[in-house]
Amino acid sequence: MWAVLMIVLLVLTCAGIWYLANRIRKFSFYRKLMEKRPRAGRLISLLIVLAVTAILWLVWGSMNAIVCILHLIVFWMISDGIFALIRKYGKKTFLRYYAGLAALAFTVVYLGSGWYLAHHVWETDYQITTDKQVGTLRVAVLSDSHTGTTFHGEGFAKHMKEIEEKKPDLVLVVGDFVDDDTTKEDMIRCCQALGETKTTYGIYYVFGNHDKGYYGPDYRGYSGDDLIRELEKNQVHVMQDDVELVDDRFYIIGRQDKSEEYAAGRATMQELVSGLDTDKFSIVLDHQPADYAAQEEAGVDLVLSGHTHGGQLFPLMTLENLFGFTPDDKVYGHEKRGNTDFIVTSGISDWAIKFKTDCKSEYLLLEIAGK
C-alpha cells in the first residue's frame, strides 16, 4: 500500500511542478521580464519550481517536499478558481496576478500553523468513569515520540518534567518511543528522563512498530534488546503480552505490537484476560488501534493506543473515520463500545512528516473515577 501511495504522490508532484511552472509565468513582473524570450521564460519558471522543491527535499526530506508542493498546488487551484469567479460575476479586472500571491501566502501560513501544531505539545484531558472499585487515578499517556523528529533527548526530558508537574499516579508509554533514525544518545537520554519522572505506581511501556528498528541494530547502533535494557535500568516496566496487577486495584495489560503477529507472534486478548478478576479495572496498552472487536469482547475497561498520528494532515482524519480505508478501528479520540472505553492519541511528536494540520501533538491526562 505504501509503495502504491508513494508512486501516486510522486506522479501528482511531477504534474504539479509543471502546473506551478506555468502559474509563475502569469505574474506581471515575470511576463515583462521574459516577454522577448518566451522559451527561456518557460524553462526558467520550471527551474525555479524544481530548485524550490530540491531545497525542501534536502532540508526536510522527500515526504515533506511532496507535502509542501501538493498543498501549494491545491491552494493555487482554489485561488485561481475564486479569482476567476470574482472576475466573472463581480466584473472585476486585476492588473496583477493576485491569485498567485494569495496562494503563496495562504500556503505559508497554513503549513506554518501545521509546523507549530506538530512541534508544540498540548495536554488533552479525558474523564473516565467506572462502577469498579478502583478509586481515583490520574494517568498520563504518551505515544509516538519518534525521538529526533521534533525534539531530541533533552526536549523529551523537558516534556516529562511538565508531565511530572501534573502529579500522575502512573505514566503509560504506548509505543514508537524511538524511531529508526533515533540516535543511541537520544534513546539513552529519553530512558533516563522516564526514570527521573516521579509517579505513584511507576511507568509502563509497550513497543510500537518502529521501536525495535526496521533496518537492524547496525543502522542506528542499538537493538530492541538494548532499548529494553536501558528502559529497565530506569525502572520502566516493559510489557510484551504481560499483565500486572497494581496495588491490588487495577490491571495493566501490555500487548506486543500488531507488527509482531507474523514474526514473534502475540497473544490474543482472550488469552491475556484469562483468569483475571473481572471486578478489577483493566487498562490495555496496544500501540495500533486495530483490535477493538476482540478487546470489547474480552470485557476490558480501557484501551489506549497511538500509531495513527491523528490522521496527520487535513482531511485524512475525516476521510479515514468516514470511509475506514485504513486497518485502524479509529484514527483519533475517544469512543465507547459496550463497556469498553477506547482512546487514540495523536502522539507527542511526529514521524517523517513535520506538519500536523488535522490535529496537534499532545500527551493525555486521564482522570479515572470509580468507587
Side-chain angles (χ1 to χ4, degrees), residues 114-252:
W115 177 276
Y116 185 84
L117 291 171
H119 287 72
H120 293 76
V121 178
W122 282 262
E123 175 188 317
T124 301
D125 299 332
Y126 289 98
Q127 303 285 331
I128 303 295
T129 58
T130 177
D131 292 332
K132 296 188 176 180
Q133 294 187 346
V134 67
T136 59
L137 283 175
R138 174 171 287 189
V139 182
V141 182
L142 60 104
S143 178
D144 297 278
S145 46
H146 291 278
T147 306
T149 306
T150 61
F151 50 72
H152 291 275
E154 285 303 326
F156 180 80
K158 289 179 181 177
H159 291 310
M160 290 309 303
K161 284 297 180 186
E162 179 184 343
I163 290 171
E164 183 183 46
E165 289 173 2
K166 306 298 179 179
K167 302 187 184 305
D169 292 307
L170 68 158
V171 173
L172 306 177
V173 183
V174 198
D176 281 358
F177 177 59
V178 294
D179 198 69
D180 296 284
D181 294 315
T182 303
T183 65
K184 186 173 184 179
E185 291 75 19
D186 275 345
M187 179 272 285
I188 291 172
R189 182 66 188 101
C190 289
C191 292
Q192 290 171 345
L194 292 178
E196 293 163 359
T197 305
K198 296 180 178 62
T199 68
T200 308
Y201 298 118
I203 298 177
Y204 293 79
Y205 166 96
V206 294
F207 281 97
N209 51 302
H210 284 276
D211 287 311
K212 293 182 180 180
Y214 280 110
Y215 308 117
D218 292 338
Y219 180 80
R220 60 183 184 180
Y222 59 94
S223 65
D225 289 337
D226 294 326
L227 174 57
I228 291 172
R229 279 191 287 272
E230 286 298 327
L231 287 165
E232 291 181 340
K233 186 192 301 184
N234 287 279
Q235 293 76 52
V236 176
H237 301 249
V238 179
M239 307 188 78
Q240 301 186 82
D241 285 341
D242 297 312
V243 180
E244 287 194 33
L245 176 60
V246 181
D247 195 30
D248 199 35
R249 293 168 58 196
F250 59 95
Y251 292 109
I252 298 178

Side-chain angles (χ1 to χ4, degrees), residues 39 60 77 80 99 154 212 224 255 280 289 305 325 329 337 355 363:
R39 289 186 180 179
W60 287 338
M77 292 175 71
D80 268 343
E154 285 303 326
K212 293 182 180 180
R255 302 194 74 182
K280 287 184 167 56
S305 302
F325 58 77
D329 290 306
R337 297 190 183 185
F355 308 93
Y363 66 87

Side-chain angles (χ1 to χ4, degrees), residues 320-360:
E320 288 173 9
N321 282 331
L322 283 175
F323 302 109
F325 58 77
T326 73
D328 303 310
D329 290 306
K330 192 170 183 65
V331 178
Y332 178 75
H334 175 254
E335 178 180 350
K336 187 150 190 171
R337 297 190 183 185
N339 295 317
T340 306
D341 287 285
F342 296 88
I343 299 176
V344 183
T345 173
S346 62
I348 197 170
S349 181
D350 222 325
W351 178 54
I353 300 174
K354 297 182 181 294
F355 308 93
K356 284 183 175 177
T357 59
D358 211 10
C359 59
K360 60 188 178 184

